Amino acid sequence: MWLEARVTTKTRLANEIINSDSVRQELLDKVNPWKEGLTEKADVAIMLGTSPQFSKFEDRVRFTTGLLNDKKVSSVIFTGKSDQETKDNDQAQTATDLAISDFGIEKSKVHLAGGNNTEANLRLALDTVRRELPDTKSVLIISEAPHLL
């Protein structure tokens, strides 16, 4: 029951984003170069937040920083503030600290966008791209299958 309610909520939020013509077009404009195979690199990787209490958190940070270390992206945006279920208080900052201390990432390559759910994380990450990385032409979103609902 709990999982069904969570999936329904994520589906509703995803539909709200996708049903906005301007947001959908802006996201498609950034994703299409990857989809069409025009490039193997992106300007920015956006890692959607998850609780540091789960092993997938470190996996996402490792994968995201690997893209930066392999020069597949120029910058990363870590997202996430508090998690309603696990009561985390700053996923983006925790990811940044891990990226710097354990994976050798330069602080200047990291940007933060702290929302409390997937929708807020995507909106705030887009605001961060507009404000701090205005020359961005392509993004890669690091997440897992449930975020696609």
Side-chain angles (χ1 to χ4, degrees), residues 47-52 57 61 78-84 86 88-96 112 115 121:
M47 188 193 95
L48 293 180
T50 190
S51 175
F57 177 82
V61 175
F78 291 119
T79 70
K81 205 60 163 164
S82 64
D83 187 294
Q84 298 167 355
T86 59
D88 304 320
N89 55 8
D90 200 337
Q91 298 168 2
Q93 187 60 57
T94 303
T96 299
L112 305 176
N121 283 333

Side-chain angles (χ1 to χ4, degrees), residues 11-40:
T11 301
R12 183 182 51 77
L13 293 172
N15 283 335
E16 288 176 14
I17 293 171
I18 297 303
N19 288 329
S20 166
D21 289 340
S22 62
V23 172
R24 183 177 63 246
Q25 188 58 51
E26 189 163 4
L27 288 171
L28 288 173
D29 288 345
K30 301 230 183 267
V31 171
N32 277 338
W34 281 83
K35 181 181 170 188
E36 297 170 6
L38 298 177
T39 180
E40 292 183 11

